[in-house]
Amino acid sequence: GALFVGEKYEVLSEIGQGGLGIVYKARHLIADRLVAIKLLLPGKHLDKKTIVRFQREAKTAMGLKHPNIAGVQDIGIHNQMPYIVMEFVEGDPLKSYIENDSLTDTQKLEILKQSCLALDYAHKDGVVHRDIKPANIMVSTNSDGSLNVKVIDFGIAKILDDEGTDLTQLTMMGAPMTPN
């Protein structure tokens, strides 16, 4: 039988896996549109604090409305596993374009421009992406040949107040840099 997340979403296929969960391509049953669902998998990392933080950050990401940001549309819990529903983005990650070395200089600049517009918008709204990388920048080609860029995965965003103070009290991973 078909796999359903909650009562609203039919899972069509797996898109990818990350450190904390799986991302699925799914169909919103009522609206009859494609969505991407990120489902946090059970494990040591999935404690109550992590779930609360995930939901809080997903709610913040829901407020980001920009043509170069894949919007968060819904959040929920399915079989004790939190999930976030995002706009499904056609295209390929920038990572694959880099690996294939298939972009012109003009296209590279256009991708950079659209990515910066998205991040600037989010920063002005007090949201920092925290995981910007080629795998989180989706690129598609419009019918006229122009590129369309969407920054994805604001689910681990860092929320800042007006003074730039970290309100999430997230710990930084890795060691501090020291000068040579």
Side-chain angles (χ1 to χ4, degrees):
L3 174 64
F4 293 90
V5 173
E7 298 175 6
K8 297 189 238 178
Y9 306 101
E10 177 186 14
V11 173
L12 303 173
S13 62
E14 184 179 313
I15 297 173
Q17 290 193 26
L20 297 179
I22 299 178
V23 180
Y24 296 101
K25 179 179 181 179
R27 185 170 61 89
H28 187 292
L29 295 171
I30 298 165
D32 193 27
R33 71 170 179 254
L34 294 177
V35 295
I37 300 176
K38 184 174 198 172
L39 188 66
L40 285 188
L41 294 177
K44 287 184 249 178
H45 65 275
L46 198 56
D47 57 13
K48 186 169 182 141
K49 188 176 176 183
T50 301
I51 292 170
V52 168
R53 188 178 77 207
F54 178 79
Q55 291 176 321
R56 181 181 63 232
E57 292 176 2
K59 286 178 189 173
T60 299
M62 287 176 88
L64 297 175
K65 306 285 188 225
H66 188 275
N68 298 115
I69 294 176
V72 174
Q73 300 173 352
D74 194 9
I75 56 174
I77 296 180
H78 176 72
N79 294 338
Q80 287 97 38
M81 293 178 290
Y83 66 87
I84 182 171
V85 179
M86 299 161 280
E87 169 187 354
F88 179 77
V89 180
E90 295 284 351
D92 295 299
L94 177 57
K95 181 180 180 185
S96 65
Y97 288 91
I98 292 169
E99 289 168 353
N100 297 331
D101 196 24
S102 59
L103 295 168
T104 66
D105 288 345
T106 303
Q107 289 173 318
K108 291 174 188 174
L109 287 171
E110 185 58 29
I111 292 168
L112 182 62
K113 175 186 167 190
Q114 289 185 44
S115 300
C116 287
L117 288 170
L119 294 172
D120 179 60
Y121 169 83
H123 291 181
K124 286 178 179 168
D125 211 31
V127 179
V128 177
H129 191 287
R130 285 180 59 97
D131 194 28
I132 196 69
K133 59 187 178 185
N136 285 338
I137 298 173
M138 297 295 289
V139 180
S140 59
T141 306
N142 297 318
S143 57
D144 65 359
S146 64
L147 296 180
N148 186 39
V149 175
K150 295 258 186 185
V151 177
I152 63 171
D153 207 357
F154 271 88
I156 60 168
K158 179 177 175 182
I159 305 157
L160 301 174
D161 67 7
D162 291 336
E163 287 80 41
T165 306
D166 180 4
L167 299 179
T168 60
Q169 299 177 348
L170 298 176
T171 57
M172 293 201 48
M173 304 299 275
M177 299 281 291
T178 55
N180 292 335

